[in-house]
Structure formats: structure tokens, C-alpha cells
Amino acid sequence: MSQENAYVPPRVWTWERASGGTFSSINRPVAGPTHEKALPVGKHPFQLYSMGTPNGVKATVMFEELLARGHTGAEYDAWLIRIGEGDQFGSGFVEINPNSKIPAMVDRSSSEPIRVFESGAILLYLAEKFGEFLPADPAGRTEALNWLFWQMGSAPFLGGGFGHFYAYAPEKLEYPIDRYAMETKRQLDVLDRRLAQTRYLAGDTYTIADIASWPWYGQLALDRLYGAGEFLQVQEYQNVQRWAREIDAREAVQRGRMVNRTFGEPEMQLHERHDASDFTLRTEDVVAGEKGHA
């Protein structure tokens, strides 16, 4: 961009028009609901309201991992929140997450429902409730939390920074793409150096730190985010590649990836999950086949 055409910020910013890009129709500078819409409630102790983005995958993987370990009390209903259509601004959703971001959850296993929002908070809440995926010893617990909060603070530069300007912005701009590509590669290097020392992020044990980080960095390493694998040369991070593939092979992770997913291969899309049998009976390829024979 030439200096003659350079943007000069006004003294006071005002919202005069949509900013453009993939999510411009739902972006706005104020919080709160835009419409009245109650949230559905299913039969299970946990009600999850989400979509199969990386942040949403954290929660569904956690639930599936708990169920795989035999915690029947972790049964959940996963309701689809279509963020591109603004479902997160419905009054019921805003009531459980004033920030209007997925995932959000309600624990109805006790006499008083408990709302939990922010993906990291959901992982920590479930880990503590069921005594899984978080070491009990102070040193191990702290290391897992170190990496959990590292992910929570770092991933916005990958998603809202690199992902936005590389894949979703209305035009390709060199400066922000270069800036956030550099930061994304720095973060991959942080992970690669750590995973050269340990099998998982917190040590030899799979924890919520891995469950939080894999949907972002593991899937980036496997070239499933933004079509940016070649651009970022993700194959260079060999320790991240090893970690990403190992976690990707877990059956609970494979199931968690499918829940609330609305894109990709139909057999990998399970828009809502209300029973374990849904992975066989209610994926989009099966649903489409049923409609075709109706």
C-alpha cells in the first residue's frame, strides 16, 4: 500500500459499516443478545452448546475421553450453535456465556445447574470433577496448567491473527500475514522444543494441556487449518508432527472431532450428539441417505 493510500485512523473510532470478510455479518462492537431464543435441554447430566471449531473440539474430545475411561456420569448432549448464523447471540446462549463464544456448557448433575464458559475453564472443570487428565501432584498439576494457559493465551494469535488475515479477511495484506505467520511459527517452535523433551506437553502423561492444544496446533501440523500447511512448512516441526499424529490416532479424539462439525466429509459430521450410537446412526452421510430413501 502506498503512503498516499495509507489508512489514517480517526481521532475517535465509530462503527459505520461492516468490516468485510467471512464473519462480517455477525461482528459488532457491543455485547448482549440480538434475539430471543431459549436453549434446548436434553436428558444427560451435561449440556454442551458448541460447534466443531478448534475451541469446540476441545470440549467434545474431553467428554469422549472421559466416557472412554468409563465415566458414565460424563454423558452429554451436544447441541449445535451455528456461529456463522449468529446463534451465539440468542438470549439463552448469552445467559450461559455473556461473551457469546463457543463452547459453553451447563452441568445439570447437581440440584443447581452450573454454567461453565471458555474452553479452558470447561476442561479444568471436568478434569477436577472426574479426577482425570490433570496430575494430582503439585508439580505435575502446575506444569499441565502452565501449558493449558499457554494455549489459551497463544492461540488467538494463530486463529484471530494468522487465520483471519490468511483465510478470512476481505483482502490479502502482506504486513498482517507476515506478522502473524512469524508468530505462529514461533509458537510451533516453542511446542517443538518442548516435545523434543517430553512425550506430551506436561510430561509423560496425556493431560488437558494436550486436549486444549491439539485442536489448534495438532490440526495445523496435520494441515487441517486454513490450508496453510505448505505456507507455514509445518512438516519441519518433527516433534509436533509426532505428537499430533499420536493424539490423532486416539479413538476418543476421532469421535470428538466429529461432534458439532458442519464441514468436511459427510461421514465426519455429527451435527448433534445425544447418544453414543449417533456416531453410527446420525452422521451426515447416513442422514442424507435416509432423506434420499424417504
Side-chain angles (χ1 to χ4, degrees), residues 79-92:
W79 302 94
L80 178 60
I81 300 296
R82 295 183 182 272
I83 59 176
E85 298 176 14
D87 288 352
Q88 68 274 34
F89 299 113
S91 57

Side-chain angles (χ1 to χ4, degrees), residues 210-232:
D210 303 289
I211 294 173
S213 296
W214 182 86
W216 285 104
Y217 300 96
Q219 295 202 99
L220 179 65
L222 297 172
D223 198 14
R224 294 176 183 163
L225 286 185
Y226 312 125
E230 181 180 10
F231 181 75
L232 295 172

Side-chain angles (χ1 to χ4, degrees), residues 3-144:
Q3 287 297 109
E4 292 78 10
N5 296 323
Y7 171 66
V8 178
R11 290 179 61 86
V12 177
W13 183 85
T14 57
W15 186 41
E16 297 179 348
R17 65 184 185 279
S19 58
T22 302
F23 301 104
S24 62
S25 63
I26 61 170
N27 290 335
R28 58 200 183 108
V30 294
T34 61
H35 59 282
E36 292 294 321
K37 185 176 182 181
L39 290 175
V41 178
K43 63 182 179 180
H44 293 307
F46 292 95
Q47 300 298 301
L48 179 68
Y49 305 94
S50 189
M51 189 172 176
T53 67
N55 284 333
V57 167
K58 296 177 196 176
T60 51
V61 165
M62 183 65 172
F63 275 116
E64 293 299 327
E65 292 280 15
L66 289 169
L67 291 169
R69 291 202 175 180
H71 292 283
T72 57
E75 271 292 354
Y76 70 108
D77 291 281
W79 302 94
L80 178 60
I81 300 296
R82 295 183 182 272
I83 59 176
E85 298 176 14
D87 288 352
Q88 68 274 34
F89 299 113
S91 57
F93 191 90
V94 174
E95 186 175 346
I96 63 169
N97 186 357
N99 196 38
S100 292
K101 302 290 183 182
I102 61 95
M105 177 185 87
V106 178
D107 178 359
R108 295 180 173 271
S109 63
S110 301
S111 57
E112 291 294 328
I114 299 173
R115 72 176 186 180
V116 192
F117 60 89
E118 292 296 331
S119 58
I122 290 172
L123 295 183
L124 183 56
Y125 181 88
L126 293 172
E128 292 183 332
K129 186 177 183 74
F130 292 99
E132 296 280 8
F133 305 113
L134 185 62
D137 66 289
R141 174 186 170 86
T142 301
E143 189 66 10

